[in-house]
Amino acid sequence: MARAAKPPPSLPTVAGLVRTARLALASGDTPSAVAQLAAAWALAPSTRIGALAHTLSARLPVTPIPGRTNEREARWLQLAAKHDPISLPTLLAIDWPVHPRAAKARLEALLEFSPDPRIAIALRELWQARRYRSNSGYVFWRAAFKTLAKWRDPGIAPLVAQARKDKDIEWFAIFEKLAKQPAPGEPELSDAIADDLAVIEADIAMRVTTSPATRDQLFEAVYDDPASDVPRLVLADALLADGDPRGELIQLQLQAAPRSTAKARIKALLRASAAKWLDGLDGLVVDPVFRRGFVAEAGLSSARDWKPGTRAWRTVETLRVYSTDHTRVLALLGHANLAQLARIDGLPCTIAARYLATARHDLDRLEIHAPLCDLGDVAIRIRELAISESYQNHASLDGVVAWFERSALASRVTSLVVDRFEDDLPAAYRWYTRSTLASVALRPLFVFTQPMAWELRLAREDDGDGMRLDATWHGRLFGERDPEGLGHALARLPDDALTSIVVGKGIDLAVPLRERFVAEIERGLAKQRRLVTRRLFD
């Protein structure tokens, strides 16, 4: 009698996969729950299913991939070549390469995985972070969105709609063809699937230690005491319990001396999520810098209202001012939420005068743009005053010094920084020897925001007997500047001017050019009879 053929194995269903994920999570097997949800999403790309897979995946361990850039990329590609979904948390945690060409190699490796919501979400977040948004990156994004459309990712529909509305180059280069295809929509989920998803969501909620109200209170505790690390650490623990990667960022940035792997992880976290962690400052600031998990440094955007009442201003320590809207700038700077502000860069002189008349706390640094004006009374102390000038329109060093000595700042400033080239070093030395400042620095003039020539800082030795010069080479001015100008300037100093000189570099130097620098500087120092310390590019 012929043996009956075995029935073919039944294919997994969305309902079966979600049910298995629910049971796996209930037993504490989070990796299996993530894998089952990802497989369910591949069959029915639901935003709800994808979000759960993404949330649970954030709780899985990440294995650091150390090494220099090239080595790290090679190891990343080796790991990705295995196409193991368990490795995705590690792969997606490593920051993307700077250049689109290297990023395309990663993309090709990721797109060989089975459809996975974590990849889709990571790519959409990369898009929102405005990575590779240039002509050289369009090939990357065409491939990415073409695959996400093939996966029927519902998250690309709003991106296509926005691009259609904008009708800019990105529409024609990336999205126009996608718009001709049926837009991926949300799949219908049966009641049984919805019930299991609700159980998973409840299970996740039970493991979360903070309610939204409690989380708000923890953020408020940080804003109430922004100088302290304690409320930030408490918040970090709560965020990590919620599966929020910002908790990891806070912990890593609070490390006293983070290792290279920690620095790489910090960079990856900020690349992926910094735009989501502005806490109400989005649209109000540009180029934010995070320290201790919060915005600590930023430039003012061109917003019509900077909303000084926003509590997130409480953690800002450095503010770069680009606006000439005096009234709104002053309203912001004078608000109580800016109490931690220790550094202000780029204040036009007239705004600085009005700010200093009412300022309530001392500053570590204030940068004033020329033209120089009458500052009036100044009640606060400023550790370092910088006078920023353009290359096309700047006063003589004598003019800047005369203005400073006439101003009320002369008795309120500890150190002075002036935009100058090294030619002015002898004049700066003569004036500094008569002043009571702790230091005076000649900062290279900036053209098109690129640093040029030497940055020079004169300071008295700790014992008060002698003068120290710290010199840092930042580059050339279009090739027009003499790269050995420091040697010429040193030769014009009095014979007993310096007791110490330390020369360093802000950019890499080719060995022959470095040797020329050393020779010229040595010649310039030939008559320095009191020179004890001499470190040239050590």
Side-chain angles (χ1 to χ4, degrees), residues 138-217:
Y138 291 157
V139 173
F140 176 96
W141 287 116
R142 277 196 294 270
F145 287 129
K146 180 180 179 181
T147 300
L148 294 190
K150 184 179 178 181
W151 288 0
R152 297 175 294 125
D153 172 29
I156 67 170
L159 301 182
V160 174
Q162 183 62 47
R164 180 190 280 113
K165 180 180 177 181
D166 295 339
K167 281 292 175 66
D168 56 14
I169 189 172
E170 291 174 347
W171 162 257
F172 297 104
I174 300 171
F175 291 104
E176 187 178 20
K177 290 184 179 179
L178 289 179
K180 297 176 182 177
Q181 305 174 16
E186 288 288 343
E188 283 192 29
L189 302 178
S190 68
D191 291 343
I193 294 174
D195 289 344
D196 281 331
L197 291 176
V199 172
I200 294 174
E201 289 165 345
D203 191 301
I204 292 175
M206 288 178 61
R207 297 163 190 258
V208 172
T209 59
T210 53
S211 66
T214 303
R215 177 183 286 216
D216 290 344
Q217 291 172 355

Side-chain angles (χ1 to χ4, degrees), residues 435-448:
S435 80
T436 59
L437 294 175
S439 69
V440 63
L442 305 182
R443 178 179 59 179
L445 284 166
F446 281 67
V447 179
F448 304 125

Side-chain angles (χ1 to χ4, degrees), residues 419-480:
D419 283 348
R420 275 309 120 184
F421 290 122
E422 61 272 17
D423 310 27
D424 281 308
L425 177 62
Y429 170 81
R430 289 193 297 272
W431 175 74
Y432 178 56
T433 56
R434 301 193 306 270
S435 80
T436 59
L437 294 175
S439 69
V440 63
L442 305 182
R443 178 179 59 179
L445 284 166
F446 281 67
V447 179
F448 304 125
T449 71
Q450 296 301 314
M452 297 153 293
W454 289 98
E455 179 178 338
L456 308 173
R457 182 176 293 271
L458 289 164
R460 292 177 177 83
E461 298 282 16
D462 293 339
D463 60 7
D465 183 21
M467 191 82 67
R468 172 190 173 103
L469 174 65
D470 289 306
T472 306
W473 172 250
H474 285 289
R476 300 172 186 260
L477 169 56
F478 304 125
E480 299 168 7

Side-chain angles (χ1 to χ4, degrees), residues 99-101 132-140:
H99 198 280
R101 188 183 304 111
Y132 318 128
R133 302 280 283 270
S134 63
N135 289 338
S136 59
Y138 291 157
V139 173
F140 176 96

